Amino acid sequence: MSVPSSQLISRLSNFPPLSVSGVLDYQAYTNPKKCAIYDDEKSFTYAELYQRVVVLSDYLLSRGIAKGDVIAAYLPNCIEYVIVVIAVARTGAIFTPINPRFKSFEARAILKQAEPVCIFTTKAQVKIVNEALEPLTTLRPIIFSVDDGATEKFFSGHPPPHYQSTSNDRPIVNLVEGDFF
């Protein structure tokens, strides 16, 4: 039996508008121990996912990310991708996905138009990101390399590593086991 659309709209109008991060906030409050997300290697409850999202969004804000800034992700489907998406939404920044199958010239077109202030990617894809950025000399995003389930140290109070300089002098933050994810 389906609900008539007028009844559905009436029911939905009783709920406050929710943002992407607002849905997580609600679930973390009402179902903190329920599994929120999992993959072959790990899983997080709503409370754990919420904690990681808040820590990452607070870190981004502390690095000067502001409402309207663009943050790109050149990541495969993974838990880290979800954390980045929700953390970016929480900061008020604009999230721009880049298909991880794209070659450098395809990624370049998106980066040129989006002009992100930072890019989340994997160590294996940093080279492609740098190749895409090479001709875009005015674009200087921070590159966050997320690998190996990188957050436990960060969540236990250890700050992320210092920036490393790349051959084209773009800062890279290597997020290794335990930094963010």
Side-chain angles (χ1 to χ4, degrees):
M1 174 190 289
S2 65
V3 177
S5 60
S6 61
Q7 280 185 332
L8 185 58
I9 291 170
S10 176
R11 288 182 192 171
L12 291 175
S13 65
N14 293 327
F15 291 97
L18 290 176
S19 63
V20 171
S21 64
V23 172
L24 177 60
D25 294 351
Y26 176 80
Q27 290 297 329
Y29 178 74
T30 59
N31 298 299
K33 294 182 180 183
K34 187 174 181 181
C35 182
I37 191 165
Y38 66 91
D39 64 15
D40 292 339
E41 299 173 12
K42 61 189 165 227
S43 66
F44 294 129
T45 65
Y46 281 106
E48 292 166 333
L49 180 60
Y50 173 83
Q51 177 191 14
R52 283 160 174 76
V53 165
V54 168
V55 169
L56 180 56
S57 62
D58 287 351
Y59 175 75
L60 291 171
L61 291 169
S62 77
R63 301 302 300 165
I65 300 299
K67 183 177 181 177
D69 284 344
V70 177
I71 298 176
Y74 187 60
L75 291 169
N77 291 334
C78 59
I79 288 179
E80 292 79 9
Y81 188 95
V82 174
I83 294 169
V84 170
V85 169
I86 301 171
V88 169
R90 190 175 192 80
T91 66
I94 299 165
F95 178 76
T96 299
I98 302 172
N99 188 328
R101 293 186 193 127
F102 279 2
K103 305 282 189 247
S104 62
F105 73 93
E106 295 167 309
R108 181 179 307 125
I110 293 171
L111 294 170
K112 182 178 180 181
Q113 185 173 11
E115 298 182 346
V117 295
C118 64
I119 302 167
F120 285 86
T121 191
T122 63
K123 289 178 187 176
Q125 294 168 307
V126 166
K127 182 180 177 189
I128 296 170
V129 170
N130 278 323
E131 288 172 2
L133 289 169
E134 193 170 334
L136 306 175
T137 57
T138 59
L139 195 56
R140 315 292 296 163
I142 297 170
I143 300 169
F144 289 91
S145 173
V146 300
D147 281 294
D148 305 323
T151 52
E152 296 315 311
K153 282 183 192 172
F154 184 84
F155 294 119
S156 62
H158 295 80
H162 296 308
Y163 295 134
Q164 295 180 354
S165 194
T166 63
S167 59
N168 57 9
D169 204 33
R170 286 194 174 83
I172 292 184
V173 176
N174 287 309
L175 304 176
V176 295
E177 182 64 44
D179 286 331
F180 280 107
F181 306 98

